[in-house]
Amino acid sequence: VQLQASGGGLVEAGGSLRLSCAASGRTLSIYVMGWFRQAPGKEREFVGVISRIGLSTAYADSVKGRFTISRDNAKNTVYLQMNSLKPEDTAVYYCAASYDYSRSRDNYNHWGQGTLVTVSS
């Protein structure tokens, strides 16, 4: 499966963005989907995960209550709605596909190219 993330950009603190991750090559519904992010000089970290049909989600404590993952398997697309953005959310955001419901990036086999989110203070 090929993944293409989009929707990043520059936003002021307190603002919102919605990222999209479009899949091609295989149907998205067979995969658990995760979002990760990597800030400059830091390791790539878990943001959130959604189960195959969207019944279960989990989030990093740093984004819980502000970010929401959803998916539309008919459109082969996963979304990350980000509200109340903070400067510390600035990072390149990646979507990834896995066969396991996991927070560990080591369990994700397929990665998108990333989209940059910059939050100004």
Side-chain angles (χ1 to χ4, degrees):
V1 63
Q2 291 77 48
L3 303 174
Q4 179 79 31
S6 62
L10 174 64
V11 63
E12 292 185 350
S16 297
L17 279 176
R18 188 176 80 157
L19 306 184
S20 298
C21 175
S24 60
R26 296 195 74 177
T27 179
L28 200 62
S29 61
I30 68 173
Y31 296 104
V32 171
M33 294 299 296
W35 284 96
F36 293 78
R37 67 186 182 185
Q38 188 166 17
K42 295 187 177 181
E43 291 190 354
R44 194 171 299 188
E45 64 175 5
F46 169 79
V47 173
V49 59
I50 187 166
S51 59
R52 288 178 178 80
I53 59 173
L55 291 182
S56 296
T57 56
Y59 300 93
D61 288 344
S62 58
V63 307
K64 197 175 297 182
R66 300 188 297 121
F67 290 12
T68 303
I69 298 177
S70 61
R71 66 192 298 163
D72 185 340
N73 286 339
K75 295 183 179 180
N76 250 18
T77 304
V78 176
Y79 305 97
L80 180 66
Q81 178 67 43
M82 305 186 295
N83 299 329
S84 302
L85 282 161
K86 304 175 181 179
E88 51 263 44
D89 294 319
T90 294
V92 177
Y93 283 72
Y94 299 87
C95 59
S98 174
Y99 292 114
D100 300 316
Y101 190 79
S102 173
R103 294 173 179 247
S104 172
R105 62 180 188 262
D106 293 338
N107 288 331
Y108 287 79
N109 313 100
H110 307 281
W111 291 82
Q113 86 291 354
T115 185
L116 176 63
V117 172
T118 304
V119 184
S120 63
S121 56

